[in-house]
């Protein structure tokens, strides 16, 4: 995927090009993430519009909360699935 997606995201200002979504948006971000800085991820979350959006912070994680906090990550995923099932 890096071959096809890298330029689409690295060389684009998502704050200008991708802020409106017609589907729910869930951003999960580790507080200690240096690849996608927590503050920048939150600022992007604030800039987007979506019918439903939620920002989930992982306090003991960096870029891979599914490895760093697998139990909490799965709990959040289950909550989102249950929430979306109820929205159908």
């Amino acid at each position: 995927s890096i071959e096809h997606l890298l330029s689409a995201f690295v060389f684009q200002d998502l704050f200008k090009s991708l802020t409106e979504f017609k589907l729910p948006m869930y951003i999960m971000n580790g507080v200690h993430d240096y690849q996608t800085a927590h503050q920048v991820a939150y600022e992007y979350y604030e800039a987007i519009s979506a019918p439903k959006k939620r920002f989930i912070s992982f306090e003991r994680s960096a870029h891979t909360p599914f490895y760093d906090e697998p139990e909490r990550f799965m709990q959040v995923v289950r909550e989102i699935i249950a929430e979306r099932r109820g929205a159908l």
Side-chain angles (χ1 to χ4, degrees):
S1 65
I2 196 164
E3 177 184 338
H4 300 286
L5 296 176
L6 183 63
S7 64
F9 290 104
V10 172
F11 303 112
Q12 243 186 95
D13 184 348
L14 296 181
F15 284 88
K16 293 179 182 174
S17 64
L18 192 58
T19 57
E20 293 188 32
F21 297 90
K22 295 182 180 182
L23 62 149
M25 290 296 296
Y26 298 88
I27 297 176
M28 297 185 226
N29 187 257
V31 170
H32 307 286
D33 193 334
Y34 291 107
Q35 293 177 339
T36 308
H38 191 263
Q39 182 62 34
V40 174
Y42 188 79
E43 288 171 10
Y44 181 65
Y45 164 79
E46 288 287 304
I48 65 173
S49 64
K52 164 76 177 168
K53 66 180 188 174
R54 184 172 161 203
F55 188 88
I56 301 108
S57 295
F58 288 83
E59 299 296 325
R60 297 186 324 262
S61 296
H63 194 65
T64 54
F66 48 90
Y67 285 128
D68 301 329
E69 297 180 63
E71 295 86 10
R72 176 145 187 272
F73 183 84
M74 286 308 302
Q75 174 189 358
V76 169
V77 169
R78 286 184 186 105
E79 289 172 6
I80 292 169
I81 290 169
E83 177 183 294
R84 298 312 314 150
R85 283 186 178 150
L88 297 177

